[in-house]
Amino acid sequence: MPKYFFHVRRNDVFEEDLEGIDLASPEQAREEATAAAREIVAERIRMGNLLDGDVFEIMTEDGTLVATVPFPVGGSVDLAPPSAQVLRSP
């Protein structure tokens, strides 16, 4: 089974995945990266951290780029409690 590496690019910073994971296909690697990106974004939201448009760069053992998976960013996140939110009439 081929090994895929899930490197993370954040602006000018490149975080290399040194372990990788054995998966059956590039499609399965993309599915794994998509699920992992969602989990990471959810955790950042829970921690109140900014979402800054990270991207997984999925590579094979020989360094071939097989896919890029951007971390989902669904607009701004309001972490204020409901009582502190400003309500506006239409």
Side-chain angles (χ1 to χ4, degrees):
M1 214 181 283
K3 186 171 278 203
Y4 295 90
F5 296 85
F6 295 76
H7 307 302
V8 177
R9 184 167 305 278
R10 179 179 301 116
N11 300 317
D12 293 334
V13 177
F14 182 76
E15 295 178 20
E16 188 174 9
D17 172 11
L18 299 175
E19 294 181 28
I21 185 171
D22 294 325
L23 296 167
S25 67
E27 293 79 19
Q28 190 177 12
R30 185 175 178 81
E31 290 171 12
E32 288 287 326
T34 299
R38 287 181 182 142
E39 289 177 24
I40 291 168
V41 168
E43 182 61 24
R44 286 186 185 166
I45 291 170
R46 281 192 293 277
M47 300 298 293
N49 294 331
L50 296 176
L51 306 176
D52 50 10
D54 297 357
V55 175
F56 274 123
E57 294 182 355
I58 305 170
M59 294 188 178
T60 59
E61 286 183 280
D62 68 2
T64 301
L65 179 66
V66 295
T68 57
V69 177
F71 287 35
V73 179
S76 62
V77 177
D78 187 355
L79 298 174
S83 62
Q85 293 179 359
V86 177
L87 301 176
R88 295 186 180 118
S89 56

